[in-house]
């Protein structure tokens, strides 16, 4: 449901430009992504202190207020200011929900449970886009913000009323004085966390580059009709749903192999799939769909595993939100960076070069995880140096 307050931006961009002027939306998406990246660190820190219920519940209410205010706005300055507030509010989602899910899962079942759960940001995006498009076509662009605001507020209140701590939280009184603070400091300084974050920086850069630019590439470079380009681009997210579930399930089936090693292997496979796409992606519609399906499968698996189950393993009961927030925050910097990279490389060297750069980034993401293979085992708590 968080996506109901963010996907409406891309759906209504053209309509707002027509109504209020093309320049009124300049910088809004970048401002939102920057605030989202910054907010990940604060939300991670806050989530382990106030708990998942308050962080998610109030975060959704703030996101609802931002969506409603966006629908009332008329100036570029207001759009920028509200986009920044919305980015901070939206940043409560992944770390807060990651904290909640850590409390309700174990080391033995976390991979497959989170593999299914983490499809929320693919499926949620599809439903949010459809809802915003329906509101836009029936009632105008403002309704595409008022409607999601109501949905966000209702779900936020539901979370505040019904969400409870899971058994993984444990009674606070059993822990020695100062142990919680020591554990959080250790996780924040852990080389494993920074390796995960470095890898996730490259992963999220690749994901956002393909999400934002694949339909454009299919239409402009391969000359597919507009509707056909949109349809074929869904292969990326369809493959992603299967990859998220599949790699999560596999990580529980082979507990002797670390989640980071499985992720690294998938990323090497991703580099091979991107290379194949440069060779055969333009030869036929069927091959384009099939190879991009494989790209989504091999990308979204490590994406969800590193930012979900692996981060929760690392953070444990005292620092799950912190670990999830910091890793996702580092990844969000990559998401902000993708537009500059994509525009610059495609303009100077052409679109094929963009896919070669993404290929190199996939290998860099795999290499960043190498130092964690020996330590990130799930035979016990992930070590974080004191």
């Amino acid at each position: 449901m968080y996506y109901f307050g963010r996907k409406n931006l891309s759906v209504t961009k053209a309509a707002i430009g027509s109504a209020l002027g093309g320049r009124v939306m300049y910088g809004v998406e970048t401002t939102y992504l920057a605030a989202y990246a910054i907010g990940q660190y604060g939300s991670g820190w806050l989530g382990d202190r106030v708990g998942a219920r308050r962080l998610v519940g109030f975060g959704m209410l703030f996101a609802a207020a931002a969506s409603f205010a966006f629908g009332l706005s008329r100036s570029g300055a207001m759009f920028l200011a509200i986009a920044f507030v919305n980015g901070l509010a939206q940043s409560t989602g992944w770390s807060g929900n990651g904290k909640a899910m850590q409390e309700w899962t174990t080391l033995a079942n976390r991979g497959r449970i989170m593999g299914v759960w983490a499809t929320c940001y693919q499926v949620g995006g599809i439903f949010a886009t459809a809802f915003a498009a329906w509101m836009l076509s029936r009632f105008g662009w403002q309704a595409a913000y008022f409607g999601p605001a109501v949905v966000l507020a209702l779900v936020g209140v539901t979370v505040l009323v019904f969400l409870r701590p899971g058994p993984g939280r444990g009674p606070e009184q059993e822990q020695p004085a100062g142990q919680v603070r020591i554990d959080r400091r250790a996780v924040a300084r852990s080389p494993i966390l920074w390796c995960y974050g470095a890898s996730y920086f490259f992963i999220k850069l690749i994901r956002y580059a393909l999400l934002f630019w694949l339909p454009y590439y299919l239409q402009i470079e391969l000359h597919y009709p507009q509707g056909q380009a949109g349809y074929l681009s869904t292969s990326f997210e369809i493959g992603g749903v299967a990859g998220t579930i599949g790699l999560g399930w596999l990580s529980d089936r082979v507990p002797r192999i670390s989640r980071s090693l499985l992720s690294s292997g998938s990323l090497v496979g991703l580099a091979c799939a991107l290379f194949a796409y440069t060779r055969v992606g333009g030869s036929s519609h069927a091959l384009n769909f099939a190879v991009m399906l494989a790209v989504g499968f091999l990308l979204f698996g490590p994406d969800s595993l590193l930012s979900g189950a692996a981060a929760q393993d690392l953070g444990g009961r005292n620092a799950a939100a912190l670990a999830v927030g910091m890793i996702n925050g580092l990844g969000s910097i990559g998401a902000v960076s993708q537009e500059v990279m994509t525009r610059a490389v495609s303009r100077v060297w052409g679109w094929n070069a963009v896919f070669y750069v993404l290929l190199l980034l996939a290998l860099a993401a795999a290499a960043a995880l190498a130092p964690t293979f020996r330590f990130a085992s799930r035979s016990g708590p992930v070590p974080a140096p004191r």
Side-chain angles (χ1 to χ4, degrees):
M1 291 302 174
Y2 271 94
Y3 274 75
F4 278 64
R6 65 175 84 169
K7 294 291 282 186
N8 45 9
L9 184 59
S10 58
V11 171
T12 60
K13 192 191 308 183
I16 294 174
S18 298
L20 303 177
R23 295 180 177 274
V24 77
M25 294 293 284
Y26 277 17
V28 170
E29 287 179 330
T30 302
T31 299
Y32 165 81
L33 287 172
Y36 184 81
I38 295 168
Q40 288 295 328
Y41 300 98
S43 294
W45 177 87
L46 193 60
D48 289 315
R49 285 158 176 77
V50 304
R53 182 181 68 87
R54 292 176 181 174
L55 182 65
V56 174
F58 287 113
M60 295 193 88
L61 291 178
F62 277 109
S67 184
F68 192 86
F70 204 95
L72 296 174
S73 300
R74 290 293 182 276
S75 70
M78 284 299 297
F79 284 137
L80 288 172
I82 296 168
F84 189 85
V85 172
N86 190 39
L88 296 178
Q90 291 277 340
S91 72
T92 63
W94 195 252
S95 53
N97 280 293
K99 172 71 172 176
M101 293 299 293
Q102 185 273 333
E103 295 174 358
W104 286 98
T105 56
T106 67
L107 288 170
N109 65 20
R110 185 166 295 144
R112 61 182 180 273
I113 291 176
M114 288 300 297
V116 175
W117 180 88
T119 60
C120 62
Y121 65 89
Q122 298 145 47
V123 178
I126 293 169
F127 277 95
T129 299
F131 183 73
W134 182 77
M135 294 294 287
L136 172 66
S137 63
R138 292 291 299 271
F139 307 109
W141 72 265
Q142 290 176 289
Y145 291 91
F146 297 151
V150 174
V151 173
L152 281 163
L154 289 174
V155 177
V157 170
T158 302
V159 169
L160 286 171
V161 173
F162 291 108
L163 183 61
R164 292 292 178 264
R169 182 175 181 177
E172 297 292 335
Q173 62 268 25
E174 286 185 3
Q175 301 188 74
Q179 185 62 49
V180 173
R181 186 166 56 253
I182 292 170
D183 287 350
R184 288 169 184 164
R185 187 182 300 118
V187 167
R189 295 175 177 177
S190 170
I192 296 175
L193 181 141
W194 291 97
C195 287
Y196 286 175
S199 180
Y200 201 53
F201 170 90
F202 297 121
I203 290 172
K204 210 162 184 181
L205 195 159
I206 298 169
R207 173 157 68 93
Y208 273 74
L210 291 172
L211 283 173
F212 285 178
W213 292 97
L214 184 58
Y216 180 88
Y217 165 78
L218 293 173
Q219 185 178 351
I220 301 301
E221 188 69 14
L222 299 186
H223 308 294
Y224 290 176
Q226 182 176 351
Q228 199 171 66
Y231 165 73
L232 286 172
S233 69
T234 61
S235 59
F236 178 58
E237 290 181 284
I238 293 171
V241 172
T244 298
I245 296 172
L247 196 64
W249 174 85
L250 184 62
S251 76
D252 281 346
R253 294 286 294 178
V254 287
R256 292 183 178 274
I257 301 177
S258 68
R259 302 195 205 274
S260 61
L261 180 55
L262 288 172
S263 296
S264 186
S266 184
L267 289 165
V268 172
L270 171 64
C272 296
L274 287 166
F275 179 77
Y277 191 77
T278 65
R279 296 298 179 181
V280 302
S283 59
S284 74
H285 290 31
L287 275 174
N288 190 294
F289 190 93
V291 179
M292 190 49 66
L293 196 78
V295 169
F297 183 93
L298 293 163
L299 174 66
F300 277 91
D303 184 307
S304 62
L305 198 59
L306 288 178
S307 65
Q312 292 165 333
D313 292 345
L314 176 64
R317 62 184 282 191
N318 290 331
L322 179 66
V324 170
M326 289 186 68
I327 291 167
N328 201 24
L330 290 166
S332 296
I333 298 172
V336 176
S337 308
Q338 62 77 27
E339 184 171 5
V340 175
M341 182 281 294
T342 307
R343 287 187 184 276
V345 174
S346 63
R347 185 179 297 119
V348 176
W349 292 291
W351 276 99
N352 234 29
V354 171
F355 289 98
Y356 283 118
V357 170
L358 297 181
L359 182 160
L360 294 174
L361 294 176
L363 293 176
L369 294 173
T372 72
F373 295 163
R374 191 159 58 95
F375 298 105
S377 161
R378 278 152 303 124
S379 56
V382 177
R386 295 290 194 262

